[in-house]
Amino acid sequence: ELARASEEEKRTQVERLAAFHEEHRDEAEPALARLKDVASSGGNTFASLMEAVRVCSLGQITSAFFEVGGQYRRNV
């Protein structure tokens, strides 16, 4: 059976994400810039990715990778 989050759970998660972004506001942009730089130069992104996950959300990291490499689209 599919479980769905309640409106309260959704609201709480959005609030937690906003608080995380606010808490790491000053650290996130430099970490994402380093990640994009390594990715665009063809380097090994592991170390910069491990640094970024401490201060960036999955959405921020995904957007950074999309900016550098584009979005994968499956041919159907």
Side-chain angles (χ1 to χ4, degrees):
E1 183 175 318
L2 182 63
R4 298 210 182 264
S6 68
E7 289 302 316
E8 175 67 16
E9 290 169 325
K10 291 176 190 177
R11 185 187 58 72
T12 301
Q13 188 61 26
V14 169
E15 289 173 358
R16 290 178 57 210
L17 179 61
F20 179 83
H21 283 167
E22 180 63 28
E23 180 180 347
H24 298 290
R25 179 184 62 230
D26 296 334
E27 303 159 296
E29 283 305 315
L32 291 170
R34 284 188 293 276
L35 181 61
K36 288 191 278 189
D37 185 50
V38 172
S40 65
S41 67
N44 184 341
T45 59
F46 186 78
S48 56
L49 182 59
M50 290 297 102
E51 176 188 338
V53 297
R54 290 180 175 89
V55 296
C56 302
S57 67
L58 178 59
Q60 290 173 303
I61 292 169
T62 302
S63 293
F65 277 135
F66 284 166
E67 286 177 32
V68 172
Q71 187 171 0
Y72 172 74
R73 299 204 186 269
R74 200 173 120 210
N75 291 334
V76 182

